[in-house]
Amino acid sequence: MGIKFETARFEAAFGTAEQLPESTTPEVAFAGRSNVGKSSLINKVVRRKALARTSSQPGKTANINFYLVDGIRLVDLPGYGFAKVSGKERQRWADLISGYFDQERSFNLVVALVDIRHDAQKLDVQMLDFLADAELPFVVALTKADKLSRAKADQQAARLAKQFGIPRSQMVVTSAEKGTGIDELRRRIEDACN
Ligand SMILES: Nc1nc2c(ncn2[C@@H]2O[C@H](COP(=O)(O)OP(=O)(O)O)[C@@H](O)[C@H]2O)c(=O)[nH]1
Ligand SMILES: [Mg+2]
């Protein structure tokens, strides 16, 4: 029984973790660096052009956005690691992300996005270590695979799995541009929410 992804609709945006409503349905959260391709991937998963706003101005909004999909909440966490913001704004993002995970919620799956073109970066390692330590179920979506050849993408996926210390099977190679890995990601979400 599949999730009807195309029924996705925007539920609400929250500027502080305290504003978040009680967790009443399964939640699938998306986390990753600013500009990693989070909005593009969410749109692709729900087969919509612009449900989540893709931005040419990364890091502008520090909100948690909820989308409702067939009784499941997709949680768009604020992108981290955007360099050109004040320390105060950076702290607000950190508070939002940790505030979300500190709550009593139905964490069915975290999709952690990582750009496939780069070797493991400190902030991504921190995020994945945090998820593993908290024993949260997560899958790593390697984004923008269309920027590499198929062989190079496979090679880089294996390399990143080693660097992150996770099994290759916990990663999905994706491209929002080409549609690569999107069905696989939908399956992982369905499996986590059934
Ligand atoms: N080539 C390529 N570019 C992508 C892909 N996904 C996102 N982008 C581009 O990366 C930039 C940031 O994407 P966005 O979805 O807004 O990232 P976010 O900040 O993580 O939400 C935009 O210019 C997108 O067009 C992808 O799969 N392939
Ligand atoms: Mg975005």
mmCIF file of all heavy atoms in Angstrom, residues 136-187:
data_model
loop_
_atom_site.group_PDB
_atom_site.id
_atom_site.type_symbol
_atom_site.label_atom_id
_atom_site.label_comp_id
_atom_site.label_asym_id
_atom_site.label_seq_id
_atom_site.Cartn_x
_atom_site.Cartn_y
_atom_site.Cartn_z
ATOM 1 N N LEU A 136 18.214 7.509 16.026
ATOM 2 C CA LEU A 136 17.121 7.881 15.131
ATOM 3 C C LEU A 136 17.299 7.126 13.812
ATOM 4 O O LEU A 136 18.418 6.982 13.326
ATOM 5 C CB LEU A 136 17.140 9.390 14.865
ATOM 6 C CG LEU A 136 16.745 10.268 16.060
ATOM 7 C CD1 LEU A 136 17.239 11.698 15.879
ATOM 8 C CD2 LEU A 136 15.230 10.243 16.247
ATOM 9 N N PRO A 137 16.223 6.613 13.248
ATOM 10 C CA PRO A 137 16.345 5.925 11.961
ATOM 11 C C PRO A 137 16.638 6.938 10.856
ATOM 12 O O PRO A 137 15.910 7.918 10.715
ATOM 13 C CB PRO A 137 14.964 5.283 11.760
ATOM 14 C CG PRO A 137 14.029 6.068 12.610
ATOM 15 C CD PRO A 137 14.825 6.661 13.735
ATOM 16 N N PHE A 138 17.726 6.734 10.130
ATOM 17 C CA PHE A 138 18.034 7.702 9.064
ATOM 18 C C PHE A 138 18.584 7.027 7.821
ATOM 19 O O PHE A 138 19.124 5.928 7.863
ATOM 20 C CB PHE A 138 18.996 8.779 9.573
ATOM 21 C CG PHE A 138 20.414 8.317 9.798
ATOM 22 C CD1 PHE A 138 21.365 8.426 8.792
ATOM 23 C CD2 PHE A 138 20.799 7.775 11.021
ATOM 24 C CE1 PHE A 138 22.680 8.007 9.005
ATOM 25 C CE2 PHE A 138 22.108 7.360 11.243
ATOM 26 C CZ PHE A 138 23.053 7.472 10.235
ATOM 27 N N VAL A 139 18.385 7.729 6.715
ATOM 28 C CA VAL A 139 18.968 7.316 5.451
ATOM 29 C C VAL A 139 19.683 8.549 4.896
ATOM 30 O O VAL A 139 19.240 9.676 5.118
ATOM 31 C CB VAL A 139 17.873 6.787 4.481
ATOM 32 C CG1 VAL A 139 16.831 7.857 4.169
ATOM 33 C CG2 VAL A 139 18.475 6.270 3.199
ATOM 34 N N VAL A 140 20.816 8.335 4.253
ATOM 35 C CA VAL A 140 21.543 9.456 3.650
ATOM 36 C C VAL A 140 21.177 9.527 2.175
ATOM 37 O O VAL A 140 21.348 8.556 1.440
ATOM 38 C CB VAL A 140 23.067 9.288 3.812
ATOM 39 C CG1 VAL A 140 23.812 10.393 3.049
ATOM 40 C CG2 VAL A 140 23.461 9.319 5.285
ATOM 41 N N ALA A 141 20.640 10.671 1.762
ATOM 42 C CA ALA A 141 20.385 10.899 0.343
ATOM 43 C C ALA A 141 21.549 11.691 -0.219
ATOM 44 O O ALA A 141 21.774 12.832 0.169
ATOM 45 C CB ALA A 141 19.073 11.656 0.164
ATOM 46 N N LEU A 142 22.319 11.058 -1.076
ATOM 47 C CA LEU A 142 23.424 11.765 -1.741
ATOM 48 C C LEU A 142 22.822 12.529 -2.916
ATOM 49 O O LEU A 142 22.196 11.926 -3.792
ATOM 50 C CB LEU A 142 24.481 10.762 -2.204
ATOM 51 C CG LEU A 142 25.133 9.959 -1.078
ATOM 52 C CD1 LEU A 142 26.100 8.920 -1.658
ATOM 53 C CD2 LEU A 142 25.868 10.880 -0.110
ATOM 54 N N THR A 143 22.985 13.845 -2.904
ATOM 55 C CA THR A 143 22.283 14.672 -3.892
ATOM 56 C C THR A 143 23.171 15.072 -5.067
ATOM 57 O O THR A 143 24.396 14.969 -5.019
ATOM 58 C CB THR A 143 21.743 15.961 -3.231
ATOM 59 O OG1 THR A 143 22.859 16.745 -2.766
ATOM 60 C CG2 THR A 143 20.831 15.637 -2.056
ATOM 61 N N LYS A 144 22.498 15.504 -6.135
ATOM 62 C CA LYS A 144 23.140 16.077 -7.335
ATOM 63 C C LYS A 144 24.036 15.072 -8.063
ATOM 64 O O LYS A 144 25.087 15.435 -8.607
ATOM 65 C CB LYS A 144 23.915 17.363 -6.974
ATOM 66 C CG LYS A 144 23.061 18.361 -6.179
ATOM 67 C CD LYS A 144 23.680 19.732 -6.060
ATOM 68 C CE LYS A 144 22.845 20.624 -5.141
ATOM 69 N NZ LYS A 144 23.304 22.013 -5.070
ATOM 70 N N ALA A 145 23.609 13.802 -8.059
ATOM 71 C CA ALA A 145 24.405 12.751 -8.705
ATOM 72 C C ALA A 145 24.564 12.986 -10.201
ATOM 73 O O ALA A 145 25.508 12.479 -10.817
ATOM 74 C CB ALA A 145 23.772 11.386 -8.459
ATOM 75 N N ASP A 146 23.652 13.773 -10.791
ATOM 76 C CA ASP A 146 23.772 14.061 -12.228
ATOM 77 C C ASP A 146 25.036 14.851 -12.557
ATOM 78 O O ASP A 146 25.454 14.921 -13.711
ATOM 79 C CB ASP A 146 22.531 14.830 -12.707
ATOM 80 C CG ASP A 146 22.308 16.121 -11.932
ATOM 81 O OD1 ASP A 146 21.764 16.060 -10.811
ATOM 82 O OD2 ASP A 146 22.693 17.186 -12.426
ATOM 83 N N LYS A 147 25.653 15.422 -11.532
ATOM 84 C CA LYS A 147 26.890 16.184 -11.758
ATOM 85 C C LYS A 147 28.109 15.271 -11.911
ATOM 86 O O LYS A 147 29.191 15.754 -12.244
ATOM 87 C CB LYS A 147 27.133 17.146 -10.593
ATOM 88 C CG LYS A 147 26.003 18.143 -10.375
ATOM 89 C CD LYS A 147 26.419 19.528 -10.805
ATOM 90 C CE LYS A 147 25.444 20.575 -10.260
ATOM 91 N NZ LYS A 147 25.729 21.896 -10.812
ATOM 92 N N LEU A 148 27.935 13.991 -11.636
ATOM 93 C CA LEU A 148 29.032 13.040 -11.784
ATOM 94 C C LEU A 148 28.628 11.940 -12.768
ATOM 95 O O LEU A 148 27.448 11.688 -12.966
ATOM 96 C CB LEU A 148 29.374 12.388 -10.428
ATOM 97 C CG LEU A 148 29.800 13.284 -9.264
ATOM 98 C CD1 LEU A 148 30.051 12.425 -8.029
ATOM 99 C CD2 LEU A 148 31.048 14.081 -9.618
ATOM 100 N N SER A 149 29.628 11.278 -13.335
ATOM 101 C CA SER A 149 29.324 10.110 -14.152
ATOM 102 C C SER A 149 28.813 9.014 -13.220
ATOM 103 O O SER A 149 29.027 9.064 -12.007
ATOM 104 C CB SER A 149 30.580 9.620 -14.868
ATOM 105 O OG SER A 149 31.481 9.053 -13.923
ATOM 106 N N ARG A 150 28.120 8.033 -13.786
ATOM 107 C CA ARG A 150 27.581 6.934 -13.006
ATOM 108 C C ARG A 150 28.684 6.231 -12.207
ATOM 109 O O ARG A 150 28.552 5.964 -11.018
ATOM 110 C CB ARG A 150 26.876 5.950 -13.966
ATOM 111 C CG ARG A 150 26.392 4.664 -13.362
ATOM 112 C CD ARG A 150 25.170 4.891 -12.477
ATOM 113 N NE ARG A 150 24.979 3.729 -11.616
ATOM 114 C CZ ARG A 150 24.288 2.647 -11.966
ATOM 115 N NH1 ARG A 150 23.687 2.598 -13.140
ATOM 116 N NH2 ARG A 150 24.168 1.636 -11.134
ATOM 117 N N ALA A 151 29.805 5.974 -12.880
ATOM 118 C CA ALA A 151 30.926 5.272 -12.228
ATOM 119 C C ALA A 151 31.505 6.099 -11.086
ATOM 120 O O ALA A 151 31.779 5.596 -9.992
ATOM 121 C CB ALA A 151 32.005 4.954 -13.256
ATOM 122 N N LYS A 152 31.647 7.374 -11.353
ATOM 123 C CA LYS A 152 32.219 8.279 -10.354
ATOM 124 C C LYS A 152 31.263 8.404 -9.151
ATOM 125 O O LYS A 152 31.710 8.467 -7.996
ATOM 126 C CB LYS A 152 32.450 9.644 -11.015
ATOM 127 C CG LYS A 152 33.214 10.614 -10.174
ATOM 128 C CD LYS A 152 34.722 10.355 -10.182
ATOM 129 C CE LYS A 152 35.389 11.236 -9.138
ATOM 130 N NZ LYS A 152 36.577 10.650 -8.539
ATOM 131 N N ALA A 153 29.966 8.436 -9.429
ATOM 132 C CA ALA A 153 28.966 8.542 -8.358
ATOM 133 C C ALA A 153 29.015 7.308 -7.454
ATOM 134 O O ALA A 153 28.976 7.418 -6.230
ATOM 135 C CB ALA A 153 27.570 8.730 -8.952
ATOM 136 N N ASP A 154 29.119 6.138 -8.076
ATOM 137 C CA ASP A 154 29.206 4.890 -7.304
ATOM 138 C C ASP A 154 30.453 4.887 -6.419
ATOM 139 O O ASP A 154 30.418 4.501 -5.252
ATOM 140 C CB ASP A 154 29.269 3.676 -8.246
ATOM 141 C CG ASP A 154 27.905 3.341 -8.825
ATOM 142 O OD1 ASP A 154 26.896 3.840 -8.276
ATOM 143 O OD2 ASP A 154 27.847 2.597 -9.818
ATOM 144 N N GLN A 155 31.534 5.330 -7.010
ATOM 145 C CA GLN A 155 32.820 5.381 -6.307
ATOM 146 C C GLN A 155 32.745 6.339 -5.123
ATOM 147 O O GLN A 155 33.196 6.030 -4.018
ATOM 148 C CB GLN A 155 33.867 5.848 -7.320
ATOM 149 C CG GLN A 155 35.302 5.718 -6.904
ATOM 150 C CD GLN A 155 36.208 6.417 -7.927
ATOM 151 O OE1 GLN A 155 35.837 6.586 -9.096
ATOM 152 N NE2 GLN A 155 37.372 6.838 -7.500
ATOM 153 N N GLN A 156 32.136 7.495 -5.357
ATOM 154 C CA GLN A 156 32.043 8.514 -4.308
ATOM 155 C C GLN A 156 31.089 8.066 -3.188
ATOM 156 O O GLN A 156 31.319 8.358 -2.014
ATOM 157 C CB GLN A 156 31.597 9.848 -4.925
ATOM 158 C CG GLN A 156 31.621 11.036 -3.987
ATOM 159 C CD GLN A 156 33.023 11.392 -3.484
ATOM 160 O OE1 GLN A 156 34.033 10.860 -3.947
ATOM 161 N NE2 GLN A 156 33.072 12.279 -2.493
ATOM 162 N N ALA A 157 30.048 7.332 -3.557
ATOM 163 C CA ALA A 157 29.105 6.823 -2.551
ATOM 164 C C ALA A 157 29.824 5.860 -1.603
ATOM 165 O O ALA A 157 29.678 5.941 -0.375
ATOM 166 C CB ALA A 157 27.927 6.128 -3.232
ATOM 167 N N ALA A 158 30.635 4.984 -2.176
ATOM 168 C CA ALA A 158 31.384 4.025 -1.357
ATOM 169 C C ALA A 158 32.372 4.747 -0.447
ATOM 170 O O ALA A 158 32.540 4.411 0.732
ATOM 171 C CB ALA A 158 32.120 3.041 -2.271
ATOM 172 N N ARG A 159 32.998 5.762 -0.995
ATOM 173 C CA ARG A 159 33.966 6.567 -0.259
ATOM 174 C C ARG A 159 33.306 7.292 0.922
ATOM 175 O O ARG A 159 33.811 7.283 2.045
ATOM 176 C CB ARG A 159 34.529 7.581 -1.258
ATOM 177 C CG ARG A 159 35.905 8.081 -0.992
ATOM 178 C CD ARG A 159 36.274 8.994 -2.166
ATOM 179 N NE ARG A 159 37.008 10.144 -1.661
ATOM 180 C CZ ARG A 159 38.317 10.114 -1.420
ATOM 181 N NH1 ARG A 159 39.023 9.029 -1.667
ATOM 182 N NH2 ARG A 159 38.927 11.172 -0.945
ATOM 183 N N LEU A 160 32.150 7.898 0.662
ATOM 184 C CA LEU A 160 31.436 8.634 1.709
ATOM 185 C C LEU A 160 30.913 7.690 2.790
ATOM 186 O O LEU A 160 30.934 8.024 3.976
ATOM 187 C CB LEU A 160 30.293 9.461 1.101
ATOM 188 C CG LEU A 160 30.735 10.768 0.437
ATOM 189 C CD1 LEU A 160 29.645 11.336 -0.461
ATOM 190 C CD2 LEU A 160 31.138 11.795 1.490
ATOM 191 N N ALA A 161 30.476 6.503 2.377
ATOM 192 C CA ALA A 161 30.007 5.526 3.366
ATOM 193 C C ALA A 161 31.125 5.215 4.352
ATOM 194 O O ALA A 161 30.910 5.170 5.566
ATOM 195 C CB ALA A 161 29.530 4.253 2.664
ATOM 196 N N LYS A 162 32.324 5.037 3.826
ATOM 197 C CA LYS A 162 33.492 4.772 4.681
ATOM 198 C C LYS A 162 33.781 5.951 5.596
ATOM 199 O O LYS A 162 33.982 5.795 6.793
ATOM 200 C CB LYS A 162 34.722 4.510 3.802
ATOM 201 C CG LYS A 162 35.057 3.048 3.685
ATOM 202 C CD LYS A 162 36.501 2.846 3.220
ATOM 203 C CE LYS A 162 36.610 1.444 2.627
ATOM 204 N NZ LYS A 162 37.084 1.433 1.242
ATOM 205 N N GLN A 163 33.796 7.139 5.002
ATOM 206 C CA GLN A 163 34.106 8.340 5.784
ATOM 207 C C GLN A 163 33.078 8.588 6.886
ATOM 208 O O GLN A 163 33.415 9.028 7.980
ATOM 209 C CB GLN A 163 34.198 9.558 4.858
ATOM 210 C CG GLN A 163 35.388 9.484 3.892
ATOM 211 C CD GLN A 163 35.396 10.616 2.868
ATOM 212 O OE1 GLN A 163 34.435 11.371 2.749
ATOM 213 N NE2 GLN A 163 36.483 10.721 2.112
ATOM 214 N N PHE A 164 31.817 8.317 6.593
ATOM 215 C CA PHE A 164 30.760 8.527 7.590
ATOM 216 C C PHE A 164 30.640 7.336 8.548
ATOM 217 O O PHE A 164 29.969 7.422 9.570
ATOM 218 C CB PHE A 164 29.405 8.753 6.912
ATOM 219 C CG PHE A 164 29.269 10.075 6.196
ATOM 220 C CD1 PHE A 164 28.726 10.128 4.916
ATOM 221 C CD2 PHE A 164 29.672 11.261 6.795
ATOM 222 C CE1 PHE A 164 28.578 11.347 4.254
ATOM 223 C CE2 PHE A 164 29.530 12.492 6.135
ATOM 224 C CZ PHE A 164 28.985 12.525 4.858
ATOM 225 N N GLY A 165 31.245 6.239 8.181
ATOM 226 C CA GLY A 165 31.153 5.042 9.014
ATOM 227 C C GLY A 165 29.770 4.428 9.027
ATOM 228 O O GLY A 165 29.290 3.939 10.057
ATOM 229 N N ILE A 166 29.102 4.452 7.887
ATOM 230 C CA ILE A 166 27.776 3.827 7.776
ATOM 231 C C ILE A 166 27.782 2.854 6.605
ATOM 232 O O ILE A 166 28.604 2.980 5.692
ATOM 233 C CB ILE A 166 26.649 4.873 7.574
ATOM 234 C CG1 ILE A 166 26.843 5.653 6.261
ATOM 235 C CG2 ILE A 166 26.592 5.840 8.752
ATOM 236 C CD1 ILE A 166 25.696 6.579 5.938
ATOM 237 N N PRO A 167 26.895 1.861 6.623
ATOM 238 C CA PRO A 167 26.853 0.938 5.489
ATOM 239 C C PRO A 167 26.371 1.629 4.208
ATOM 240 O O PRO A 167 25.555 2.547 4.274
ATOM 241 C CB PRO A 167 25.852 -0.133 5.934
ATOM 242 C CG PRO A 167 25.135 0.406 7.110
ATOM 243 C CD PRO A 167 25.956 1.510 7.693
ATOM 244 N N ARG A 168 26.889 1.195 3.108
ATOM 245 C CA ARG A 168 26.487 1.746 1.800
ATOM 246 C C ARG A 168 24.980 1.611 1.603
ATOM 247 O O ARG A 168 24.353 2.448 0.953
ATOM 248 C CB ARG A 168 27.263 0.992 0.697
ATOM 249 C CG ARG A 168 26.870 1.286 -0.734
ATOM 250 C CD ARG A 168 27.165 2.722 -1.134
ATOM 251 N NE ARG A 168 26.729 2.983 -2.510
ATOM 252 C CZ ARG A 168 25.487 3.275 -2.837
ATOM 253 N NH1 ARG A 168 24.551 3.338 -1.911
ATOM 254 N NH2 ARG A 168 25.168 3.519 -4.100
ATOM 255 N N SER A 169 24.400 0.564 2.208
ATOM 256 C CA SER A 169 22.960 0.316 2.062
ATOM 257 C C SER A 169 22.108 1.367 2.772
ATOM 258 O O SER A 169 20.902 1.435 2.575
ATOM 259 C CB SER A 169 22.615 -1.065 2.609
ATOM 260 O OG SER A 169 23.027 -1.160 3.962
ATOM 261 N N GLN A 170 22.761 2.184 3.587
ATOM 262 C CA GLN A 170 22.016 3.252 4.273
ATOM 263 C C GLN A 170 22.035 4.551 3.459
ATOM 264 O O GLN A 170 21.628 5.602 3.931
ATOM 265 C CB GLN A 170 22.610 3.484 5.671
ATOM 266 C CG GLN A 170 21.596 3.985 6.686
ATOM 267 C CD GLN A 170 22.185 4.063 8.102
ATOM 268 O OE1 GLN A 170 23.224 3.471 8.388
ATOM 269 N NE2 GLN A 170 21.518 4.780 8.980
ATOM 270 N N MET A 171 22.529 4.437 2.227
ATOM 271 C CA MET A 171 22.606 5.610 1.353
ATOM 272 C C MET A 171 21.812 5.377 0.086
ATOM 273 O O MET A 171 21.756 4.268 -0.424
ATOM 274 C CB MET A 171 24.055 5.847 0.929
ATOM 275 C CG MET A 171 24.962 6.262 2.046
ATOM 276 S SD MET A 171 26.612 6.508 1.354
ATOM 277 C CE MET A 171 27.183 7.750 2.474
ATOM 278 N N VAL A 172 21.238 6.460 -0.420
ATOM 279 C CA VAL A 172 20.574 6.418 -1.717
ATOM 280 C C VAL A 172 21.173 7.517 -2.587
ATOM 281 O O VAL A 172 21.239 8.676 -2.167
ATOM 282 C CB VAL A 172 19.052 6.643 -1.582
ATOM 283 C CG1 VAL A 172 18.376 6.546 -2.942
ATOM 284 C CG2 VAL A 172 18.429 5.639 -0.621
ATOM 285 N N VAL A 173 21.647 7.130 -3.760
ATOM 286 C CA VAL A 173 22.195 8.112 -4.699
ATOM 287 C C VAL A 173 21.026 8.759 -5.438
ATOM 288 O O VAL A 173 20.206 8.063 -6.035
ATOM 289 C CB VAL A 173 23.153 7.430 -5.699
ATOM 290 C CG1 VAL A 173 23.612 8.423 -6.766
ATOM 291 C CG2 VAL A 173 24.362 6.839 -4.978
ATOM 292 N N THR A 174 20.921 10.077 -5.364
ATOM 293 C CA THR A 174 19.756 10.753 -5.958
ATOM 294 C C THR A 174 20.150 11.901 -6.883
ATOM 295 O O THR A 174 21.245 12.453 -6.795
ATOM 296 C CB THR A 174 18.832 11.356 -4.865
ATOM 297 O OG1 THR A 174 19.493 12.475 -4.253
ATOM 298 C CG2 THR A 174 18.465 10.332 -3.810
ATOM 299 N N SER A 175 19.214 12.227 -7.748
ATOM 300 C CA SER A 175 19.297 13.460 -8.523
ATOM 301 C C SER A 175 17.889 14.002 -8.700
ATOM 302 O O SER A 175 17.036 13.323 -9.285
ATOM 303 C CB SER A 175 19.931 13.208 -9.894
ATOM 304 O OG SER A 175 19.675 14.308 -10.749
ATOM 305 N N ALA A 176 17.641 15.194 -8.187
ATOM 306 C CA ALA A 176 16.338 15.833 -8.378
ATOM 307 C C ALA A 176 16.202 16.271 -9.830
ATOM 308 O O ALA A 176 15.108 16.394 -10.365
ATOM 309 C CB ALA A 176 16.188 17.017 -7.438
ATOM 310 N N GLU A 177 17.329 16.474 -10.451
ATOM 311 C CA GLU A 177 17.373 16.902 -11.850
ATOM 312 C C GLU A 177 16.934 15.754 -12.774
ATOM 313 O O GLU A 177 16.088 15.939 -13.635
ATOM 314 C CB GLU A 177 18.808 17.322 -12.175
ATOM 315 C CG GLU A 177 18.979 18.070 -13.451
ATOM 316 C CD GLU A 177 18.846 19.580 -13.274
ATOM 317 O OE1 GLU A 177 18.727 20.051 -12.127
ATOM 318 O OE2 GLU A 177 18.866 20.276 -14.300
ATOM 319 N N LYS A 178 17.516 14.569 -12.553
ATOM 320 C CA LYS A 178 17.268 13.445 -13.457
ATOM 321 C C LYS A 178 16.246 12.450 -12.908
ATOM 322 O O LYS A 178 15.830 11.531 -13.616
ATOM 323 C CB LYS A 178 18.592 12.689 -13.701
ATOM 324 C CG LYS A 178 19.623 13.483 -14.483
ATOM 325 C CD LYS A 178 19.545 13.165 -15.975
ATOM 326 C CE LYS A 178 20.232 14.190 -16.852
ATOM 327 N NZ LYS A 178 21.698 14.166 -16.712
ATOM 328 N N GLY A 179 15.901 12.560 -11.636
ATOM 329 C CA GLY A 179 14.947 11.610 -11.052
ATOM 330 C C GLY A 179 15.607 10.360 -10.484
ATOM 331 O O GLY A 179 14.924 9.469 -9.980
ATOM 332 N N THR A 180 16.911 10.309 -10.536
ATOM 333 C CA THR A 180 17.653 9.160 -10.006
ATOM 334 C C THR A 180 17.342 8.924 -8.529
ATOM 335 O O THR A 180 17.371 9.874 -7.737
ATOM 336 C CB THR A 180 19.174 9.411 -10.123
ATOM 337 O OG1 THR A 180 19.458 9.875 -11.428
ATOM 338 C CG2 THR A 180 19.976 8.159 -9.816
ATOM 339 N N GLY A 181 17.037 7.685 -8.164
ATOM 340 C CA GLY A 181 16.914 7.321 -6.756
ATOM 341 C C GLY A 181 15.636 7.782 -6.067
ATOM 342 O O GLY A 181 15.435 7.509 -4.884
ATOM 343 N N ILE A 182 14.767 8.446 -6.791
ATOM 344 C CA ILE A 182 13.565 9.011 -6.147
ATOM 345 C C ILE A 182 12.572 7.906 -5.768
ATOM 346 O O ILE A 182 11.999 7.931 -4.673
ATOM 347 C CB ILE A 182 12.900 10.072 -7.056
ATOM 348 C CG1 ILE A 182 13.908 11.177 -7.420
ATOM 349 C CG2 ILE A 182 11.673 10.673 -6.374
ATOM 350 C CD1 ILE A 182 14.482 11.951 -6.236
ATOM 351 N N ASP A 183 12.394 6.927 -6.644
ATOM 352 C CA ASP A 183 11.515 5.795 -6.306
ATOM 353 C C ASP A 183 12.031 5.054 -5.087
ATOM 354 O O ASP A 183 11.272 4.680 -4.194
ATOM 355 C CB ASP A 183 11.419 4.813 -7.486
ATOM 356 C CG ASP A 183 10.442 5.296 -8.546
ATOM 357 O OD1 ASP A 183 9.555 6.105 -8.197
ATOM 358 O OD2 ASP A 183 10.589 4.875 -9.704
ATOM 359 N N GLU A 184 13.339 4.853 -5.047
ATOM 360 C CA GLU A 184 13.980 4.180 -3.916
ATOM 361 C C GLU A 184 13.736 4.955 -2.619
ATOM 362 O O GLU A 184 13.406 4.380 -1.580
ATOM 363 C CB GLU A 184 15.482 4.039 -4.201
ATOM 364 C CG GLU A 184 16.346 3.624 -3.031
ATOM 365 C CD GLU A 184 16.182 2.159 -2.648
ATOM 366 O OE1 GLU A 184 15.651 1.395 -3.472
ATOM 367 O OE2 GLU A 184 16.555 1.807 -1.506
ATOM 368 N N LEU A 185 13.865 6.258 -2.692
ATOM 369 C CA LEU A 185 13.642 7.109 -1.519
ATOM 370 C C LEU A 185 12.176 7.028 -1.075
ATOM 371 O O LEU A 185 11.879 6.931 0.117
ATOM 372 C CB LEU A 185 14.023 8.553 -1.868
ATOM 373 C CG LEU A 185 14.307 9.490 -0.711
ATOM 374 C CD1 LEU A 185 15.378 8.918 0.208
ATOM 375 C CD2 LEU A 185 14.740 10.851 -1.252
ATOM 376 N N ARG A 186 11.261 7.029 -2.031
ATOM 377 C CA ARG A 186 9.835 6.890 -1.698
ATOM 378 C C ARG A 186 9.594 5.555 -0.995
ATOM 379 O O ARG A 186 8.850 5.487 -0.020
ATOM 380 C CB ARG A 186 8.970 6.959 -2.959
ATOM 381 C CG ARG A 186 8.878 8.336 -3.582
ATOM 382 C CD ARG A 186 7.730 8.404 -4.590
ATOM 383 N NE ARG A 186 7.818 9.610 -5.407
ATOM 384 C CZ ARG A 186 8.181 9.623 -6.694
ATOM 385 N NH1 ARG A 186 8.458 8.498 -7.327
ATOM 386 N NH2 ARG A 186 8.254 10.762 -7.346
ATOM 387 N N ARG A 187 10.242 4.508 -1.469
ATOM 388 C CA ARG A 187 10.084 3.181 -0.833
ATOM 389 C C ARG A 187 10.590 3.199 0.601
ATOM 390 O O ARG A 187 9.955 2.633 1.502
ATOM 391 C CB ARG A 187 10.842 2.116 -1.635
ATOM 392 C CG ARG A 187 9.975 1.344 -2.618
ATOM 393 C CD ARG A 187 10.668 0.054 -3.071
ATOM 394 N NE ARG A 187 11.960 0.316 -3.718
ATOM 395 C CZ ARG A 187 12.099 0.685 -4.998
ATOM 396 N NH1 ARG A 187 11.032 0.870 -5.755
ATOM 397 N NH2 ARG A 187 13.288 0.880 -5.518
#
